[in-house]
Amino acid sequence: MRPLELIKRRAYPYETEEREGTYLALNENPFPFPEELVEEVFRRVETEKLKTYYDSPNRELLRAILGYLDRGFLSFENVSIGNGADEIIYVTMLMFDRVVFFPPTYSCYKVFAKALGVKYLEIPLKEGLKVPDVTLGEGDVVFLPNPNNPTGHVFEREEVVKLLEKGAFVVLDEAYYEFHGESCVDLLKRFENLAVVRTFSKAFSLAAQRIGYVVSSRDFIDAYNRVRLPFNVSYVSQIFAKVALEHLEIFEERIRFVVRERERMKERLREKGFNVTDSRANFVFITLAEEEKERALELLRKNRVVVRNFKEGIRITVGKKEENDLVLELLGGM
Ligand SMILES: Cc1ncc(COP(=O)(O)O)c(C=O)c1O
C-alpha cells in the first residue's frame, strides 16, 4: 500500500469542535491567564531575541521549574521541556520498543502511538480501576496519568512502585497534579526508570502557549534532549511559564476554587443518584449505562453544553460557578 494510504488507515484526524455555548470538554481552566501577567510577559519580551533561535529550555525557566518542584536532589540535568506535555509523550514513544497503557486512560496515548506507527499494548484497568497485572520488559514504556484521565481517580503509591519494580520505563503523567496536591516526583530518588511529566495547560491557564516539562534521571533527559526538536518551545511561551511560576499565589487561589467546585459537583451528583468516580482532577466523571448516557448527552447538547463522551461514561470539566450550576440543574432534572 502507498505510504500516505497507510498513514490514513492507522492515524486519526485531529478534529476541532466549533465552540459555542458552555464548553466543558477539554479540561481547561475556567479562569483566563491573568491580564496583569500578560502585560508583565510583554514587558519582558526583548524584540532582539525574537529573531534568534532561542534556547529551549532556557536555564532561567529550568531554575524556576526546579524551585517549583522543591526537591533538593534534582538539578538542571534532571529537567527538560516540551511543546505541551503532549510533545514529551509523543517523543518518548519513539525512544522505546513498545508503548503500554491502561484504558480508560488519556486518549492521546493511542492516538499518538497509531500516528507514529509504533507497537502498542492496551490492557484495561482491573476491577476497582487498579493497574492490571501485566508482564513487561525493558523495552516497554508505560504511560500512566495520575490523577487518571478520564476517571480522575488517583493510583496509590504502592501501585506505582509495583509497576516501577517490573523494570519497564514508566511515564507518570501528572498533568492534573495541582488539583490533587500529591506527587510521585520523590520516587525519582529510588527509580531510574521513571519520568514525571507535567504541564502549564491546566492549573496555569496556558494551554494555548503549549508548554510542559519532564523530570527524570540524567540518562533519560539526555536521551530525550537528543530526540526532541531543538527549539521546541518558543521564547514567549517560556516567559509565560516563568511569569506564572513567579505568581503562584494567584494560581493557588484558583486551584482551591476548582477543587471546591469539583467536590460540590461530586456531592450533588451523588445525591441525585449518579455514580461518580472519586476525581482529584479538574473534572468529574459519571459512569453511566449506554441508554442513560445517551439521554444525559442529549439533554446537555440541547442546552448547548459540550462535554466529553467515553464508552464508560461522561467527563465534565469543572467550569465557572454558573456553568457548573447549569450542569447540575440539567442532570439533576433527569
Ligand atoms: C493526562 C494528560 N496528559 C497530557 C495532556 C496534554 O497536556 P498539554 O496541553 O501540556 O499537551 C492532557 C490534556 O488534556 C492530559 O489529560
Side-chain angles (χ1 to χ4, degrees), residues 26 84-86 89 106 109 145 149 173 175-176 199 201-202 210-211:
L26 283 176
D86 276 352
I89 294 162
Y106 180 37
Y109 299 152
N149 178 3
D173 183 344
Y176 301 99
T199 179
S201 297
K202 310 293 180 183
R210 312 304 306 129
I211 178 156

Side-chain angles (χ1 to χ4, degrees), residues 82-96:
N83 202 279
D86 276 352
E87 189 204 17
I88 299 166
I89 294 162
Y90 197 83
V91 169
T92 304
M93 287 187 176
L94 298 169
M95 297 164 60
F96 293 87

Side-chain angles (χ1 to χ4, degrees), residues 92 96 100 102 136-138 140-145 159-173 187-188 191-197 214-216 220:
T92 304
F96 293 87
V100 182
F102 311 127
L136 299 167
E138 262 205 359
D140 289 323
V141 57
V142 182
F143 289 88
L144 189 72
E159 285 184 275
V160 176
V161 168
K162 241 172 81 186
L163 190 60
L164 284 159
E165 283 171 346
K166 289 177 191 276
F169 197 85
V170 176
V171 175
L172 262 195
D173 183 344
L187 287 178
L188 287 167
F191 295 96
E192 283 268 306
N193 56 325
L194 168 67
V196 176
V197 172
V214 52
V215 198
S216 185
F220 175 86

Side-chain angles (χ1 to χ4, degrees), residues 205-223:
S205 302
L206 283 174
Q209 284 302 315
R210 312 304 306 129
I211 178 156
Y213 57 98
V214 52
V215 198
S216 185
S217 63
R218 289 166 184 236
D219 216 24
F220 175 86
I221 296 297
D222 181 29

Side-chain angles (χ1 to χ4, degrees), residues 235-279:
Y235 167 52
V236 178
S237 291
Q238 292 190 63
I239 302 179
F240 265 103
K242 184 146 183 291
V243 166
L245 292 178
E246 288 169 10
H247 294 87
L248 279 181
E249 67 296 341
I250 300 181
F251 298 97
E252 280 162 357
E253 195 185 327
R254 293 162 162 214
I255 291 162
R256 282 195 291 274
F257 168 86
V258 172
V259 168
R260 270 200 311 274
E261 282 293 282
R262 175 192 75 205
E263 293 305 310
R264 179 171 80 95
M265 290 182 80
K266 276 156 59 176
E267 204 179 304
R268 293 284 149 79
L269 289 165
R270 280 183 185 141
E271 280 166 15
K272 294 283 177 196
F274 286 102
N275 195 351
V276 181
T277 57
D278 188 16
S279 173

